[in-house]
Amino acid sequence: MKKVLYVLVTLCVTFLGAAEVKNVNQEVANALSIMENKSKKNEFRAGVVLGSSIVESKIYDTKHKKVVYVNNILNTLVLSSTQPYQYFGYKAVLLKNKDFNAYSLPGGIILINDGIFKYLENEDQLAAIIAHEIGHSEKNHGLASADNQKLVDIGETASMLVVGSNVSNAYAAVGSIKALGMTYEAVKNGYDVDQEAEADKIAIDLMSKSGYDAAEFSNVLRILQKTVNDYGGGNYPKDRLERLNKELSKLDYYEEDANKDYRTSRFRKYK
């Protein structure tokens, strides 16, 4: 439990700053009100608290060159999103974890394992992964899952939290995220098939509008299949690659990208 609270505090300070995090219990309490008041601010708070229950690895400093690089890609893609604004802006958090994975949390927070750099071949493939996670955030899949699963009982959970009494209540609150419908399992293991397919479709659109080679998304899936023997997990469409290629075939044009080699060389600096 100490690990959970440590990550919670780290994420709060990472985004809000030490001066803003005066009471961790209060931040948790605010996040727990998300299902009653789905403001952008509460979505963000919920994302931070939910992230604390998922993250099991150390977090890179926000000023680290690799973190800056990943966020530059994120910000480029977000410019073409239909939902470019979040309470605290879109933020990528880079985790010191060697697994091939990334997660989208409420409030525009995207967790990315640095292990993906080992497997990917170029920047466009990294952009595909980030664009997919933006797709989840754009459509608010995290909180949509909470609504669909009917896991929320605000009254019962609120009674578990005595704000400001002691730290142990923060532990209880974080542990109750699942009951509040923050969809821990959906975030960590994948959303439902339709949501994953929708995020893939959005990713292709974001990549093509941002100047990335959207066809590299297919290569990401091939790498994923080779690495973990599936296309992302049980909640992803079994015909994910076929669906993706069908969407790629709808692109209006394809031309040789003279800047792709430059982007690839830039990516290799961080492998």
Side-chain angles (χ1 to χ4, degrees), residues 9-59:
V9 173
T10 301
L11 289 173
C12 285
V13 172
T14 295
F15 291 113
L16 302 176
E20 296 294 326
V21 185
K22 299 175 182 178
N23 190 319
V24 173
N25 279 4
Q26 185 62 56
E27 287 301 317
V28 173
N30 291 335
L32 297 185
S33 70
I34 181 65
M35 299 309 294
E36 290 182 331
N37 177 20
K38 293 182 182 179
S39 67
K40 288 290 185 182
K41 190 172 185 177
N42 275 352
E43 286 179 18
F44 167 74
R45 283 167 162 161
V48 172
V49 175
L50 179 57
S52 71
S53 69
I54 292 176
V55 175
E56 298 177 351
S57 312
K58 292 184 178 180
I59 299 172

Side-chain angles (χ1 to χ4, degrees), residues 69-81:
Y69 172 62
V70 169
N71 275 283
N72 284 341
I73 298 172
L74 170 63
N75 292 331
T76 298
L77 293 163
V78 164
L79 290 175
S80 299
S81 172

Side-chain angles (χ1 to χ4, degrees), residues 19 32 78 109 122 193 226 264 270:
L32 297 185
V78 164
I109 301 171
N122 56 56
V193 170
K226 183 178 180 180
T264 298
Y270 301 99

Side-chain angles (χ1 to χ4, degrees), residues 15-259:
F15 291 113
L16 302 176
E20 296 294 326
V21 185
K22 299 175 182 178
N23 190 319
V24 173
N25 279 4
Q26 185 62 56
E27 287 301 317
V28 173
N30 291 335
L32 297 185
S33 70
I34 181 65
M35 299 309 294
E36 290 182 331
N37 177 20
K38 293 182 182 179
S39 67
K40 288 290 185 182
K41 190 172 185 177
N42 275 352
E43 286 179 18
F44 167 74
R45 283 167 162 161
V48 172
V49 175
L50 179 57
S52 71
S53 69
I54 292 176
V55 175
E56 298 177 351
S57 312
K58 292 184 178 180
I59 299 172
Y60 277 87
D61 186 275
T62 55
K63 296 180 181 179
H64 192 283
K65 290 182 179 180
K66 188 180 285 189
V67 178
V68 174
Y69 172 62
V70 169
N71 275 283
N72 284 341
I73 298 172
L74 170 63
N75 292 331
T76 298
L77 293 163
V78 164
L79 290 175
S80 299
S81 172
T82 60
Q83 297 290 331
Y85 302 109
Q86 296 287 347
Y87 170 70
F88 203 72
Y90 283 84
K91 299 292 180 184
V93 178
L94 195 61
L95 310 178
K96 296 180 179 180
N97 187 311
K98 299 308 178 184
D99 292 340
F100 192 139
N101 217 338
Y103 313 94
S104 178
L105 304 177
I109 301 171
I110 297 175
L111 307 179
I112 302 174
N113 291 345
D114 68 348
I116 65 175
F117 281 85
K118 174 183 176 181
Y119 300 101
L120 301 181
E121 299 164 345
N122 56 56
E123 184 176 303
D124 294 54
Q125 292 176 2
L126 176 58
I129 291 174
I130 296 173
H132 174 86
E133 301 306 332
I134 293 173
H136 284 308
S137 187
E138 184 176 300
K139 293 299 182 180
N140 213 10
H141 285 162
L143 297 183
S145 296
D147 287 338
N148 293 339
Q149 294 181 27
K150 305 295 183 185
L151 295 175
V152 184
D153 186 345
I154 295 293
E156 179 181 348
T157 306
S159 68
M160 296 173 61
L161 179 66
V162 182
V163 177
S165 61
N166 56 54
V167 173
S168 65
N169 286 309
Y171 297 157
V174 172
S176 70
I177 290 173
K178 191 172 181 180
L180 273 171
M182 292 297 96
T183 59
Y184 172 93
E185 292 297 332
V187 171
K188 190 165 185 178
N189 299 320
Y191 296 95
D192 67 34
V193 170
D194 290 338
Q195 289 172 328
E196 294 296 350
E198 186 175 34
D200 281 352
K201 187 174 181 178
I202 292 170
I204 291 172
D205 183 61
L206 292 178
M207 291 182 71
S208 60
K209 288 179 178 178
S210 302
Y212 284 106
D213 181 3
E216 286 290 350
F217 200 166
S218 292
N219 292 328
V220 171
L221 295 191
R222 293 186 182 97
I223 293 170
L224 195 58
Q225 173 69 28
K226 183 178 180 180
T227 304
V228 298
N229 200 33
D230 60 40
Y231 290 134
N235 292 343
Y236 288 82
K238 295 185 182 301
D239 59 345
R240 188 181 185 191
L241 183 58
E242 289 76 10
R243 291 191 187 203
L244 190 71
N245 286 333
K246 184 177 180 180
E247 292 299 325
L248 287 170
S249 69
K250 297 177 183 178
L251 293 180
D252 292 334
Y253 68 93
Y254 177 82
E255 61 183 34
E256 195 66 29
D257 183 357
N259 294 317

